[in-house]
Amino acid sequence: ARRARGPMRRGYVERDSMTASEKEVRQDDETREMISSMEMEDASKRGGSLEWLAVSSVMTVSIFAGLLGYDIGVMSGALMPMSRDLSFTSSQEEIAVGCLNFVSAAGAISGGTMYNKLGAVKCVKIAVVLYAVGMLVIAASHSFAMVFLGRLIVGLGVGLGFAICPQYIAEISPPAWRGVLVSCFEISINLGLCGGYLANLVFVNLSDSPRWRGLMLLPLVPTALIYILNIPKLPESPRWLLRTPGNEALARDVLVRTCGEAAAGPALADIKEIIAQQNAEEESQGDRGKKGWSQLFEEPVARRALLIGAGTAFFQQANGSEAAVYYVPQVLKAAGVESERDQLGAAAVVGMCKTVFITVGQFSVDRYGRRVMLLSSIAAVTASLWLLAYCLGAAQAGGSAAGITLFALCFFMASFSLGMGPVTWVVASEIFPLRVRSRGVAFSMAANRITSGTVAMTFLSLSRWLGVGGAFSLFACVSASHFVFTYALLPETRGKTLEEIEAVLAAGSSRYQRFVDDEEVASSPTYEANRSGVPIRAS
């Protein structure tokens, strides 16, 4: 105690010996330290806590995402017996696979308008019904035309789900957990994908007709359970509720039950402030106020967000990932694997690899940031595509490359799942300003689905033209372009609220925080980052 009192006395003596100006500087430093400590505590509250309603709601819409993934995975195995049973040509095979993605683009675009009018919960209900009806039509089909019709109906449900679910998850998630929770959508897609691959293996010994029809009917049981038991319990998005006067109490209740009491107040204030600013802008512009889809293309901040969101969604599919998912058996056949059972077994291994690694990516996106995860993933994907192109080229030249080809496919799927898979949905769901978010996400998902459909419908033709190895060489070049795009344009958004991301975009690309550095102050004039990476208001 005596030793402790010595330094204390010296501190008082030093303070007493200071001049008035030195004391004032010392007091200012202590005040700033106290304010900084209070701001860090406030930032922690703004990050929110993970409440059970948020978890259960994310699980519900993610189960629907799993059904979408199942459709993608099961078609890789169901296409072969379906084609033999209904006598499809190779062009009809491509159309049966790829048409769903083109139609889902229309579903995604309509989702932007439907969300604004109906809200997220009603849109999810419609998407589930469309999915179930479409699968029933496919299962009852006896011609290519009926299969095509069923795929169109499923595609509308898939597109609506892709447009609504990531945005809904982002809007009900606490900022500190948003990256993890939005990534659940991609994880569920991959779990469904893996389930589709495994179902193909289970049904492989059946004759063609009951085999593919059973695969189409299998997901209808969980679909019915979700619709009856889970969807009625979903809360509406608080940001959608606040667009209508008189819903503030309900919106606050949803925020409290999803983000916690401490974060609900600041979040409610931020949302109301953004909506008030938008209303004031529209009133000041009068008849010149920009409404509808034109806002996406005419307003500078929305246009910048559209370039980032839609560009990221486009490149996710432009690297050939859909070809690797849908045509795993055909790719392995090109590498020398002749047995259909071996092809489906290898496809299941690829699906398992994709699912395991996306779990790692999910819990890394909020720890290391969007840019780090996405850039690392793109670099690894590009390398795996070059390896895959080499292996398939060697196989066509007469080399024995089946084992290495399977490794390259697993490497590709693992690299994709670590970053490109989950981060794409996170970026697309959080990058758009509130006034255009539903349409921006819908446009991005439409771009994603159109690109996916283009790859799926042209891969077999492209392989005949360039060879399978040449097709993957082309995908590798596209992936390298994706790296340049992301490095140049994507800001770091880890830990920021949706309203703070809008402020970052408004500051312009020259003021983006490129990478998370806990010691570095974010360059936005409105916000700065504390040592935990959670943004706080600058004084």
Side-chain angles (χ1 to χ4, degrees):
R2 281 193 296 270
R3 282 196 299 271
R5 281 197 297 269
M8 289 175 64
R9 287 197 188 97
R10 285 194 297 274
Y12 283 120
V13 171
E14 290 172 1
R15 186 182 291 270
D16 291 340
S17 64
M18 289 180 180
T19 63
S21 60
E22 289 174 335
K23 288 181 179 179
E24 186 176 347
V25 171
R26 180 71 168 269
Q27 289 173 350
D28 289 344
D29 290 340
E30 291 172 351
T31 301
R32 278 193 293 269
E33 289 177 6
M34 182 178 66
I35 292 174
S36 177
S37 176
M38 293 171 63
E39 285 178 334
M40 291 179 68
E41 182 180 355
D42 177 64
S44 177
K45 292 179 180 178
R46 290 169 66 86
S49 58
L50 188 59
E51 302 295 325
W52 171 246
L53 183 61
V55 175
S56 62
S57 300
V58 170
M59 289 173 62
T60 297
V61 296
S62 295
I63 291 172
F64 175 58
L67 296 175
L68 309 184
Y70 173 86
D71 178 81
I72 296 171
V74 82
M75 279 301 291
S76 68
L79 183 63
M80 293 182 287
M82 182 188 293
S83 179
R84 291 192 295 263
D85 185 38
L86 302 180
S87 302
F88 286 177
T89 65
S90 60
S91 297
Q92 288 176 328
E93 287 181 1
E94 288 182 322
I95 293 172
V97 170
C99 69
L100 181 145
N101 295 294
F102 282 105
V103 178
S104 65
I109 291 294
S110 65
T113 302
M114 290 175 65
Y115 174 85
N116 287 336
K117 293 181 178 180
L118 303 177
V121 176
K122 289 182 180 178
C123 288
V124 170
K125 288 182 178 179
I126 295 171
V128 170
V129 170
L130 287 171
Y131 177 86
V133 171
M135 294 300 276
L136 280 172
V137 171
I138 296 172
S141 296
H142 292 282
S143 66
F144 170 75
M146 284 192 68
V147 171
F148 181 73
L149 175 62
R151 296 287 285 173
L152 293 184
I153 298 172
V154 171
L156 290 173
V158 168
L160 185 57
F162 268 60
I164 298 300
C165 291
Q167 177 185 353
Y168 173 73
I169 296 173
E171 292 191 347
I172 66 167
S173 298
W177 290 88
R178 190 173 60 248
V180 172
L181 294 179
V182 174
S183 299
C184 287
F185 186 78
E186 176 70 14
I187 285 184
S188 296
I189 292 175
N190 283 274
L191 287 172
L193 181 78
C194 191
Y197 285 148
L198 293 175
N200 287 330
L201 273 178
V202 172
F203 283 64
V204 71
N205 292 324
L206 297 178
S207 58
D208 286 344
S209 183
R211 177 180 164 188
W212 70 264
R213 294 181 197 277
L215 289 170
M216 297 299 109
L217 292 173
L218 191 61
L220 295 184
V221 174
T223 303
L225 292 176
I226 291 171
Y227 189 86
I228 296 170
L229 301 178
N230 296 82
I231 292 180
K233 300 177 183 178
L234 288 177
E236 189 51 79
S237 164
R239 288 167 173 83
W240 184 83
L241 290 171
L242 284 172
R243 294 178 179 180
T244 304
N247 287 334
E248 182 174 336
L250 182 57
R252 179 179 176 81
D253 179 65
V254 174
L255 286 169
V256 169
R257 293 192 294 144
T258 55
C259 302
E261 183 74 38
L268 189 68
D270 284 347
I271 299 168
K272 290 173 61 180
E273 181 181 353
I274 290 292
I275 292 175
Q277 290 175 357
Q278 294 169 4
N279 292 338
E281 290 175 4
E282 290 178 1
E283 289 177 4
S284 65
Q285 292 175 352
D287 293 336
R288 295 181 295 107
K290 300 166 186 173
K291 296 181 179 180
W293 286 94
S294 63
Q295 288 179 303
L296 267 178
F297 305 98
E298 297 176 9
E299 295 184 1
V301 176
R303 204 163 51 232
R304 191 174 296 125
L306 181 64
L307 176 62
I308 296 169
T312 301
F314 161 79
F315 275 114
Q316 188 204 40
Q317 294 298 325
N319 64 7
S321 60
E322 202 79 345
V325 169
Y326 275 123
Y327 298 111
V328 169
Q330 288 86 339
V331 171
L332 291 172
K333 185 176 182 179
V337 180
E338 296 295 338
S339 167
E340 187 171 318
R341 175 180 286 275
D342 290 342
Q343 292 169 6
L344 294 176
V349 171
V350 172
M352 290 288 290
C353 181
K354 194 172 190 289
T355 303
V356 168
F357 277 90
I358 202 167
T359 305
V360 178
Q362 177 195 26
F363 290 101
S364 300
V365 66
D366 276 328
R367 178 177 178 84
Y368 299 107
R370 282 55 161 161
R371 279 177 62 90
V372 170
M373 293 302 298
L374 193 53
L375 289 171
S376 301
S377 173
I378 297 169
V381 162
T382 305
S384 65
L385 285 169
W386 283 119
L387 177 61
L388 197 55
Y390 170 78
C391 293
L392 293 169
Q396 289 181 328
S400 178
I404 303 176
T405 301
L406 180 58
F407 168 78
L409 275 171
C410 291
F411 180 29
F412 171 68
M413 290 301 181
S415 304
F416 181 91
S417 297
L418 282 174
M420 291 178 65
V423 176
T424 297
W425 304 112
V426 175
V427 170
S429 65
E430 70 183 8
I431 200 69
F432 290 97
L434 177 61
R435 61 186 174 277
V436 296
R437 184 170 298 137
S438 60
R439 291 185 173 89
V441 174
F443 189 95
S444 299
M445 294 304 103
N448 181 273
R449 294 295 87 201
I450 289 173
T451 308
S452 173
T454 302
V455 170
M457 289 185 67
T458 60
F459 178 73
L460 295 179
S461 301
L462 191 65
S463 297
R464 287 193 294 270
W465 180 41
L466 298 176
V468 183
F472 279 99
S473 295
L474 178 62
F475 293 144
C477 294
V478 174
S479 184
S481 302
H482 186 192
F483 186 93
V484 175
F485 172 89
T486 301
Y487 187 88
L489 296 178
L490 182 68
E492 182 52 68
T493 57
R494 186 191 76 165
K496 292 179 171 61
T497 67
L498 298 175
E499 288 68 38
E500 290 166 346
I501 293 171
E502 182 174 348
V504 169
L505 284 177
S509 59
S510 63
R511 303 183 69 88
Y512 287 169
Q513 183 183 8
R514 298 294 181 181
F515 295 97
V516 172
D517 184 349
D518 292 341
E519 300 296 332
E520 183 179 320
V521 176
S523 54
S524 169
T526 312
Y527 299 94
E528 62 182 9
N530 65 24
R531 294 181 183 273
S532 65
V534 179
I536 57 179
R537 290 191 184 277
S539 56

